[in-house]
Amino acid sequence: MLYQYHIVYTFKVKGKDSSSNDTLSVAITDRHDIRADMSMAGLQTHSLGHAGLPGYSILLYPQNKTFVLHIIDTAAINSGPAYQVTKVGNETVSGYKCIHSRLTVVTAGQKSGITEDIWTSTDVPGYTIMDKLMALQNVTPKMMQALDKAGCGGFFVKMDMQSTVFSMDMQIITASRGNFPASMFQIPAGYTQRAM
């Protein structure tokens, strides 16, 4: 499966607001190999994951042809802040029937200044593959737990996050099956390993 998102970041700093448009592409194979490609402010980053190495990801840095073997800290991913979830309603986004929910981060019993509106759908192709991959990696972020508990679980179709200095709007633009060359999930020739 290939998933592509359009992302808009907006920074609000003392009257000098700025924004950037970026993309995120995630390719997942039937064998549960994964590749994520992201462009942020012109900087390309790539991450590889393999079902055979569930505790690791590989971060590729094409600018200097290096890679880092990254140990996935599942304890840190599965912990984190608590979320309060409010179901807003049902809506159609990008052609998918979605549940619109609002999340508020709760830290030490107090709500933070971060609010996220999330639209999720179980109708997105490959949702069961992604769910199974997260189970294989033993990854269940608190956000996902909170959404599931509130009956709002599913694949992320759209996300709007707002804070006093930063906002992010992300929406899916592609969810399709495809054939990927094996080289997409391998470290390219000529790359050297560097320390984390």
Side-chain angles (χ1 to χ4, degrees), residues 42-107:
L43 182 65
Q44 296 285 324
T45 59
H46 311 284
S47 177
L48 306 176
H50 299 281
L53 294 169
Y56 298 90
S57 66
I58 301 164
L59 305 177
L60 302 176
Y61 299 95
Q63 295 80 5
N64 55 16
K65 293 191 173 184
T66 59
F67 72 93
V68 172
L69 185 61
H70 174 71
I71 298 171
I72 298 171
D73 187 347
T74 55
I77 292 170
N78 294 338
S79 64
Y83 291 87
Q84 178 182 1
V85 178
T86 304
K87 184 175 178 179
V88 177
N90 297 318
E91 300 173 22
T92 300
V93 178
S94 295
Y96 299 106
K97 294 177 186 173
C98 296
I99 298 172
H100 177 189
S101 55
R102 185 161 293 129
L103 281 81
T104 304
V105 178
V106 180
T107 325

Side-chain angles (χ1 to χ4, degrees), residues 4-20:
Q4 293 181 310
Y5 289 88
H6 176 248
I7 306 172
V8 178
Y9 300 98
T10 304
F11 302 92
K12 308 164 199 169
V13 183
K14 296 182 182 177
K16 297 181 181 179
D17 295 358
S18 64
S19 65
S20 67

Side-chain angles (χ1 to χ4, degrees), residues 5 76-85 101 103-104 116 118-122 127-135 138-159 170:
Y5 289 88
I77 292 170
N78 294 338
S79 64
Y83 291 87
Q84 178 182 1
V85 178
S101 55
L103 281 81
T104 304
E116 300 176 48
I118 296 179
W119 290 259
T120 54
S121 176
T122 56
Y127 168 66
T128 53
I129 294 171
M130 181 66 87
D131 203 35
K132 188 174 183 180
L133 181 61
M134 288 178 66
N138 193 26
V139 173
T140 312
K142 288 281 189 181
M143 178 189 291
M144 303 300 287
Q145 291 176 28
L147 286 167
D148 287 342
K149 187 175 178 182
C152 301
F155 201 93
F156 282 31
V157 173
K158 183 178 177 183
M159 181 173 157
M170 179 174 85

